[in-house]
Amino acid sequence: MLKTIEENATGLQHVGIPTRDMDATTKFWELLGFKVTGEFQNLTSKVKFLEFKGLVIETWEARAEQANGVVGAINHISLNVEHIEDIFAECQASALNVMNDTIQERPFWDKGIKFFNVEGPNHEIVEFCQINQ
C-alpha cells in the first residue's frame, strides 16, 4: 500500500451511482431506509447524497453519453482522505493510472470538496475525496 494513503485514508466516503431518474432513485433508496443528507447542483446535473447507517450513496443525473450508457451501476467507490495533495503526488509518482491531471473541486457541503480518481485494471474507479473543513 502507498504510505500516504495508508496514513491519510479514514474510511469509505461514498459509492457513486448515476441515474436517469432522480425522483425514482431517491424513492428507491428511501424505501430501503436511506435519508437524503445533501442536495447539490453540479455543473449540468442534480446530485444527491443519501445515507443509511454509515453507508453513503452519491447519485447524479447522467445522460447516456456521460455514463457510457450504464446508469444504475456503481460508477466509483470513494475513500475519505486527509492531505489530498500528498496522496495525489504519491499516486502520480506510482504505477497507478491517475485519471486527472489536477485535483478537482466541487462546491459540495459547506466548504466544498477536493478529489481525484484512479482507474484499476478492470476499469474500476477509486476516488480520493477530501471534504474541506
Side-chain angles (χ1 to χ4, degrees):
M1 175 177 230
L2 297 177
K3 185 173 178 60
T4 306
I5 295 171
E6 183 176 18
E7 292 172 350
N8 293 290
T10 61
L12 181 65
Q13 163 68 229
H14 64 264
V15 175
I17 304 174
T19 182
R20 286 195 193 123
D21 186 337
M22 183 62 78
D23 291 337
T25 298
T26 301
K27 288 177 186 173
F28 171 78
W29 290 105
E30 286 177 334
L31 281 172
L32 295 176
F34 283 73
K35 303 280 187 233
V36 175
T37 58
E39 296 184 55
F40 306 96
Q41 184 66 35
N42 180 29
L43 305 176
T44 61
S45 64
K46 292 180 192 174
V47 178
K48 285 189 181 182
F49 288 84
L50 300 102
E51 188 267 338
F52 177 74
K53 296 188 178 188
L55 175 59
V56 177
I57 302 291
E58 173 194 19
T59 189
W60 64 95
E61 294 175 325
R63 297 184 309 272
E65 64 273 13
Q66 291 173 314
N68 296 325
V70 181
V71 294
I74 293 173
N75 173 272
H76 66 275
I77 295 173
S78 179
L79 299 177
N80 194 48
V81 300
E82 299 172 340
H83 307 287
I84 195 164
E85 291 82 5
D86 295 340
I87 295 171
F88 184 68
E90 185 176 49
C91 287
Q92 284 185 307
S94 76
L96 290 171
N97 180 16
V98 179
M99 299 175 69
N100 307 99
D101 293 332
T102 61
I103 294 172
Q104 308 296 300
E105 296 187 47
R106 296 288 184 272
F108 297 169
W109 309 113
D110 291 337
K111 297 183 181 178
I113 64 166
K114 295 179 183 178
F115 70 96
F116 71 93
N117 299 297
V118 299
E119 182 181 43
N122 303 298
H123 305 290
E124 62 272 32
I125 298 171
V126 176
E127 175 184 280
F128 295 89
C129 183
Q130 177 178 298
I131 297 175
N132 298 327
Q133 302 296 321

